[in-house]
Amino acid sequence: MAQISEKFKKKREEISKEIISNAEKMASFKGLKEVQVNMLSLRQRLLEDNHTLLEHLTVLRKKYRSERSSQMENISTNLQTRYQYNEKNVIIDGKTAKTKEAIDVIENQITFFNDSIKTVDNILFGIKTRVDIEKTLGL
């Protein structure tokens, strides 16, 4: 799980650097077309990565529900010790912690992608607005 977290961390850093770099290029009117192309490309990559993670998240959630179900069945039928419902949940949470952690890591990355897409959309809107202002002013 640490490898996936590290990979996601590097991906977040790359995306953040790319967004910042392109935002800085907006200072020059001549660079706006390049920024616009870069932002549209980044937006598409973010969407594709986001949907890939959503597919993985669906599979992990199914696995998690299955693990919880089988653990509940195992605790209820195969153990000599009787547990209260709350105690069973604590045991099940412990036995399914790795899958739950994977779900949390992927959900966090999806949230980052969604926020990054919103940032890119705002930059693209800003470019359009700036171009409109420049045209109106005749610059």
Side-chain angles (χ1 to χ4, degrees):
M1 188 50 45
Q3 290 175 335
I4 292 173
S5 294
E6 190 62 32
K7 182 178 177 182
F8 284 164
K9 180 182 176 186
K10 287 179 183 177
K11 184 74 170 175
R12 287 190 301 270
E13 289 171 357
E14 289 172 18
I15 290 168
S16 294
K17 284 179 185 177
E18 189 172 348
I19 289 172
I20 290 169
S21 170
N22 280 296
E24 289 171 350
K25 290 178 186 175
M26 287 179 61
S28 165
F29 185 71
K30 293 178 181 177
L32 285 183
K33 287 184 181 181
E34 178 187 350
V35 172
Q36 189 173 27
V37 169
N38 291 342
M39 288 288 102
L40 289 169
S41 172
L42 176 60
R43 187 179 196 288
Q44 186 59 38
R45 288 187 316 232
L46 287 169
L47 283 172
E48 290 169 6
D49 290 347
N50 197 32
H51 286 286
T52 300
L53 285 180
L54 286 168
E55 290 171 4
H56 290 300
L57 184 61
T58 301
V59 170
L60 273 175
R61 283 183 175 156
K62 180 180 177 184
K63 177 183 177 189
Y64 180 66
R65 286 190 303 271
S66 176
E67 285 177 359
R68 286 191 63 82
S69 174
S70 63
Q71 288 296 331
M72 179 62 89
E73 185 176 337
N74 181 43
I75 289 171
S76 298
T77 59
N78 296 335
L79 297 179
Q80 296 296 323
T81 309
R82 293 291 222 167
Y83 292 105
Q84 296 296 321
Y85 183 75
N86 290 341
E87 294 171 320
K88 288 179 185 178
N89 279 332
V90 170
I91 293 169
I92 291 169
D93 288 344
K95 292 185 183 261
T96 59
K98 285 185 180 183
T99 305
K100 179 65 173 149
E101 180 185 7
I103 289 171
D104 291 343
V105 167
I106 290 177
E107 284 176 339
N108 289 338
Q109 189 70 12
I110 289 170
T111 299
F112 175 80
F113 283 155
N114 286 332
D115 290 344
S116 295
I117 290 167
K118 288 177 188 174
T119 300
V120 168
D121 287 345
N122 288 336
I123 289 173
L124 289 169
F125 181 76
I127 290 171
K128 180 189 175 305
T129 303
R130 178 152 178 213
V131 168
D132 290 344
I133 290 171
E134 299 276 344
K135 284 180 182 176
T136 301
L137 295 176
L139 302 174

